[in-house]
Amino acid sequence: GVLAGVVLFQGLSSSELRGVGQLVLAVSFILIGVDWVGALVAPLAGSTDLRAIIEIATTYPWLAAALAALIASVVQSSTATLAVFIGFALHDGEIVSAPLIVEVIVGANLGITFLALATSWSDLEAKRFTLATLGCRSVVGVAALAWLDASSSAVQAFPGTLAQQAAIAHSTFNGAALVCTLIASPALAIVMPRLVAAGPPTDEIRPAPIDRRWADEPGIAFSQTKREISLAVRVTASMLRDAWQALETRDERLLARVRERDDTVDLVERHVKGFLTGQLTNELDSRDVGRRLLQLRFIGDLETIADAIDRQICGAARKIAKRGLWFNDDEWTELSAAFDLTIETIELAGAVCAEERRSLAEQLLERKDRVRDLELEQRARHYTRLQDGDRHSAETTDLYVGLLVELKHIAHLAAGVGHSVLDLTPRRAPNPKREPPPIDPAAAPSRA
């Protein structure tokens, strides 16, 4: 099984067949682990203390289930827990019987579900899903323990040895829990969000309403829109920063959170554009007209950048994770530098919009040129590595170059506010050097 899994996962290019290989490897490793657990249990079969504990557990079904849940939470596998009892049964079949196996199956599955709940407590959606799974498994487990006689007879009716009967009973339990979950899923989709409500947000990445009372006061109105635009800058920069982290770690949950922040940028863009084009007074001087146009352009560019991060950067990260692609060390270093420089460009663009200073705008445009030059240099180095014999697939090359080009595009969009600020703040002509006025001899005081 392991050999077949390695051949499928490493030797084929199809993502579907590679997934089958991963599944075969996972099942093979589980079975190998079960064999090892059974072998390790053999020396314990002669322990009088363990025999006494199992005898007590046989008398009290709930105690047996609790013991199995504890073991499952320690070894982190319900299958391995079941293997412990089966391994003991192979050496002392008088104690470990079909009824006890049923109790172990119930307890082990509940124990591993409790463990999953503890590890997913910080993730709201995972916590809701695990609680729903725990509820359905508990229903099936209570039914199995309440009707233990019927369950045990059903297990004994299964063909094969005790180990085979236990495997069938284990699959039956999980199948029943799955059916219970599917039947209850419409109700769980309504109940779980109310039972496990989202807590207060842990950050301030959320838009605030723009006070329309100041629509006739451009100075106050623009300070409010700048506040919201600064929020969009912060969200957009955090999207690109976390997209890079998710690309490095192949963290699909982090990618999902990045996509959610795109909605925040969209909302800010609608608020700002709606206020500037609908509520803000039209009685503006020429400078305020330019400031309104600057903000409208910049918030539109930020929304485009957020979409590019969501669709292009995160899309590339998902493709890399799904297809098992990877870059070499030089390329990771180069990508890290490109991401850092682009993030700095977005943050500097936010400062340019907030301050409207010509010196900052010129610095932003220089930073954009640095991103462009860096993209050209890194692409040239990549092609040189290919010519020198560095083994890369066409798909990996396309993704690497595509990321560099997309980062250059993002920096170009962010730097657009620099041109707007330069147009808004024309360069002042230097004052000509003033010559001192000539001295009139007649008006000069006489020296006596």
Side-chain angles (χ1 to χ4, degrees):
V2 173
L3 179 60
V6 170
V7 171
L8 289 173
F9 180 64
Q10 296 291 342
L12 301 177
S13 59
S14 172
S15 58
E16 291 80 5
L17 293 178
R18 288 170 62 88
V20 173
Q22 287 179 306
L23 179 60
V24 171
L25 282 173
V27 174
S28 300
F29 287 138
I30 290 175
L31 294 177
I32 291 173
V34 170
D35 288 340
W36 285 354
V37 170
L40 293 174
V41 170
L44 300 176
S47 173
T48 56
D49 294 334
L50 181 60
R51 181 185 180 90
I53 293 174
I54 294 179
E55 286 178 345
I56 296 173
T58 305
T59 307
Y60 302 99
W62 295 101
L63 179 60
L67 178 62
L70 178 61
I71 296 175
S73 63
V74 173
V75 301
Q76 300 185 10
S77 172
S78 59
T79 305
T81 304
L82 188 57
V84 170
F85 286 85
I86 293 175
F88 192 85
L90 295 177
H91 297 83
D92 198 339
E94 296 179 358
I95 298 179
V96 180
S97 59
L100 181 60
I101 290 298
V102 174
E103 299 161 6
V104 171
I105 290 172
V106 173
N109 280 280
L110 292 181
I112 203 68
T113 309
F114 272 113
L115 180 64
L117 180 62
T119 56
S120 63
W121 194 258
S122 59
D123 190 321
L124 180 63
E125 293 300 326
K127 180 167 62 174
R128 289 172 177 172
F129 175 80
T130 309
L131 276 175
T133 303
L134 178 61
C136 293
R137 285 188 172 183
S138 298
V139 170
V140 176
V142 169
L145 293 178
W147 297 94
L148 186 56
D149 292 337
S151 298
S152 62
S153 61
V155 171
Q156 291 171 345
F158 290 149
T161 63
L162 179 63
Q164 293 171 337
Q165 292 174 351
I168 296 174
H170 194 195
S171 300
T172 302
F173 176 89
N174 286 312
L178 176 60
V179 171
C180 178
T181 304
L182 292 176
I183 294 174
S185 58
L188 291 173
I190 299 174
V191 172
M192 295 310 300
R194 297 180 181 179
L195 182 64
V196 186
T202 57
D203 54 29
E204 296 297 327
I205 302 183
R206 59 182 186 275
I210 299 175
D211 196 340
R212 299 181 181 180
R213 294 179 303 168
W214 304 107
D216 294 330
E217 295 289 342
I220 301 177
F222 284 129
S223 69
Q224 292 188 93
T225 51
K226 281 184 179 181
R227 176 198 66 202
E228 296 306 294
I229 292 174
S230 296
L231 170 63
V233 169
R234 183 157 59 95
V235 175
T236 305
S238 72
M239 288 178 65
L240 188 56
R241 186 179 296 108
D242 288 347
W244 165 246
Q245 182 180 349
L247 178 66
E248 277 191 306
T249 60
R250 303 191 181 193
D251 190 341
E252 295 188 7
R253 290 185 178 180
L254 184 56
L255 282 177
R257 292 197 292 271
V258 171
R259 299 193 66 181
E260 292 174 358
R261 285 180 232 167
D262 181 34
D263 297 335
T264 302
V265 179
D266 292 340
L267 183 59
V268 172
E269 191 241 1
R270 289 197 298 270
H271 284 180
V272 172
K273 280 190 174 181
F275 179 80
L276 291 177
T277 59
Q279 281 80 43
L280 184 63
T281 179
N282 288 323
E283 297 180 0
L284 303 173
D285 58 28
S286 59
R287 183 174 179 82
D288 285 339
V289 170
R291 181 176 288 110
R292 176 168 64 178
L293 183 59
L294 179 152
Q295 293 188 1
L296 286 171
R297 287 175 175 173
F298 188 46
I299 192 63
D301 288 339
L302 287 175
E303 194 272 336
T304 304
I305 291 172
D307 286 342
I309 296 172
D310 176 23
R311 298 173 185 173
Q312 304 301 327
I313 304 295
C314 292
R318 285 190 294 271
K319 187 181 295 184
I320 289 171
K322 181 179 179 181
R323 301 185 182 180
L325 302 175
W326 209 241
F327 300 121
N328 60 37
D329 293 341
D330 291 336
E331 290 165 345
W332 280 118
T333 301
E334 293 167 358
L335 283 174
S336 178
F339 269 87
D340 288 342
L341 189 58
T342 306
I343 292 169
E344 292 173 3
T345 304
I346 295 174
E347 294 173 338
L348 180 57
V352 170
C353 178
E355 298 291 333
E356 296 178 3
R357 285 166 43 191
R358 188 178 185 89
S359 59
L360 280 178
E362 292 172 347
Q363 184 180 348
L364 174 63
L365 296 178
E366 292 175 0
R367 185 68 58 89
K368 180 200 70 172
D369 292 340
R370 286 177 56 191
V371 175
R372 179 201 60 197
D373 295 341
L374 183 64
E375 182 265 337
L376 293 174
E377 294 171 5
Q378 292 177 341
R379 192 192 295 199
R381 284 198 294 267
H382 177 73
Y383 291 140
T384 301
R385 286 193 295 267
L386 292 180
Q387 289 180 339
D388 292 341
D390 192 356
R391 298 184 60 185
H392 267 73
S393 66
E395 190 173 27
T396 305
T397 295
D398 290 342
L399 286 171
Y400 174 77
V401 174
L403 285 171
L404 293 179
V405 172
E406 197 60 39
L407 291 173
K408 181 183 71 173
H409 175 62
I410 289 173
H412 178 80
L413 287 172
V417 69
H419 295 288
S420 298
V421 169
L422 292 181
D423 294 338
L424 188 66
T425 56
R427 187 185 299 275
R428 295 180 180 180
N431 294 328
K433 186 176 181 180
R434 295 183 178 181
E435 297 291 339
I439 299 177
D440 186 357
S446 59
R447 297 179 180 180

